[in-house]
Amino acid sequence: MQITNVQIDLRKILCWLFASTALMYLLIPNLNVLFAIRRPNALQSGSLFVVTFAAIVPIICGIAWWTIWKEKPSARAWGIAASVVEIIIFAQPILFSVPTAWPHHLGALFIGIVGLVVFSR
């Protein structure tokens, strides 16, 4: 299957969106983690997920950014993984009943869906 110029452009845009997600989770104090740690019984499953997820997001999105930017053969798999992470960012408050600073991450859902469509081809 041949990749079109539109798909290449979308991959580059998604590449930088994944980079911004990684930087956001690395540099900006993650309020979700602070909420999770301050809750009573902080090591319950929902809170533990939030803390672990906040550590995993920059790793997956950072690797996705690097492989897409360098046009590595593994870029497709990392792009799909980062897209799934974006969807989980949206679904996190719904699935784990965790209070978040930003309750609706519609942008993350949009990035995740577009990423899955672009990288699954």
Side-chain angles (χ1 to χ4, degrees), residues 3-74:
I3 298 176
T4 65
N5 287 338
V6 173
Q7 285 178 319
I8 292 171
D9 291 342
L10 283 175
R11 286 178 184 222
K12 293 297 181 180
I13 291 168
L14 287 166
C15 163
W16 291 105
L17 289 172
F18 295 150
S20 67
T21 300
L23 286 175
M24 182 176 68
Y25 270 78
L26 275 176
L27 301 178
I28 298 174
N30 195 335
L31 296 177
N32 296 341
V33 173
L34 294 176
F35 286 141
I37 292 173
R38 296 186 67 136
R39 290 177 59 192
N41 302 325
L43 294 179
Q44 290 179 347
S45 63
S47 299
L48 186 59
F49 171 80
V50 170
V51 173
T52 305
F53 187 68
I56 292 173
V57 168
I59 294 169
I60 293 175
C61 289
I63 293 172
W65 164 73
W66 179 256
T67 57
I68 297 165
W69 185 48
K70 292 293 186 175
E71 298 179 359
K72 301 281 185 186
S74 62

Side-chain angles (χ1 to χ4, degrees), residues 84-97:
V84 169
V85 164
E86 294 283 351
I87 292 171
I88 294 172
I89 289 171
F90 169 78
Q92 180 180 352
I94 300 165
L95 295 175
F96 296 99
S97 300

Side-chain angles (χ1 to χ4, degrees), residues 89-91 93-94 100-109:
I89 289 171
F90 169 78
I94 300 165
T100 63
W102 301 282
H104 303 290
H105 298 284
L106 290 176
L109 179 63

